[in-house]
C-alpha cells in the first residue's frame, strides 16, 4: 500500500503558527491531535498535517515551489478558507477561482502563511 501518511512544514513561532492554522484546520474538519512548544499536529482519526520547529535548530524556511493543498467539499469552503487566512495575517497567493489549466472543475485559492509556506484549499479535483 502506498500513499502519503502526513505532511509537516517548518515554522519559527509555534504559538503564532497555531493561532493562524487552528481556525483554518477547523474550517476543513481537522482538529488538534497534539501540541507542545515545538509542534502542532492536526488530523481527523489519523495525523494529516503538522507544524514543526526544525529539529536541527536552524530557522524554518519555506521550500521554493512547495505547497500543501487541502481538499475541501465545496467552493464556499475554498472561499472561506482564503478569506479567513487573509484575516489571520496570511498573504494572497491566488484568489479563489477556477483553474482550468488543471481541470475544468478545479477550484482553488492560494495563500502564504506567516512563515512563507504556500497553502491551498481546493475542490473539484
Amino acid at each position: 500500500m502506498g500513499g502519503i501518511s502526513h505532511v509537516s512544514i517548518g515554522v519559527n513561532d509555534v504559538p503564532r503558527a497555531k493561532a493562524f492554522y487552528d481556525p483554518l484546520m477547523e474550517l476543513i474538519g481537522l482538529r488538534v491531535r497534539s501540541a507542545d512548544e515545538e509542534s502542532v499536529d492536526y488530523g481527523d482519526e489519523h495525523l494529516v498535517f503538522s507544524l514543526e520547529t526544525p529539529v536541527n535548530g536552524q530557522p524554518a524556511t519555506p521550500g521554493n515551489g512547495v505547497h500543501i493543498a487541502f481538499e475541501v467539499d465545496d467552493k464556499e469552503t475554498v472561499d472561506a478558507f482564503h478569506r479567513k487566512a487573509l484575516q489571520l495575517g496570511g498573504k494572497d497567493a491566488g484568489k479563489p477561482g477556477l483553474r482550468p489549466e488543471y481541470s475544468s472543475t478545479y477550484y482553488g485559492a492560494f495563500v502564504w502563511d506567516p512563515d512563507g509556506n504556500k497553502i491551498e484549499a481546493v475542490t473539484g479535483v
Side-chain angles (χ1 to χ4, degrees):
M1 178 168 131
I4 296 173
S5 169
H6 63 279
V7 175
S8 298
I9 60 170
V11 299
N12 291 301
D13 182 331
V14 171
R16 178 187 72 183
K18 186 175 184 307
F20 178 81
Y21 278 98
D22 277 1
L24 296 175
M25 296 300 100
E26 181 179 339
L27 182 69
I28 64 173
L30 300 178
R31 63 178 173 78
V32 173
R33 296 180 48 85
S34 64
D36 60 30
E37 61 279 348
E38 295 177 354
S39 68
V40 182
D41 299 326
Y42 297 94
D44 43 28
E45 66 273 4
H46 303 286
L47 172 64
V48 174
F49 179 66
S50 295
L51 310 171
E52 308 280 340
T53 57
V55 295
N56 66 2
Q58 298 298 308
T61 58
N64 187 16
V66 173
H67 86 272
I68 309 298
F70 296 99
E71 190 171 1
V72 301
D73 292 333
D74 51 45
K75 292 177 181 180
E76 293 78 18
T77 305
V78 171
D79 295 347
F81 183 96
H82 185 262
R83 187 171 47 254
K84 177 59 82 175
L86 296 181
Q87 290 171 355
L88 293 165
K91 304 293 183 215
D92 179 45
K95 296 189 182 334
L98 286 171
R99 302 293 195 277
E101 63 272 26
Y102 304 135
S103 82
S104 62
T105 58
Y106 193 109
Y107 186 90
F110 301 85
V111 178
W112 282 289
D113 77 5
D115 283 289
N117 297 297
K118 192 174 185 181
I119 58 174
E120 173 188 6
V122 61
T123 192
V125 292

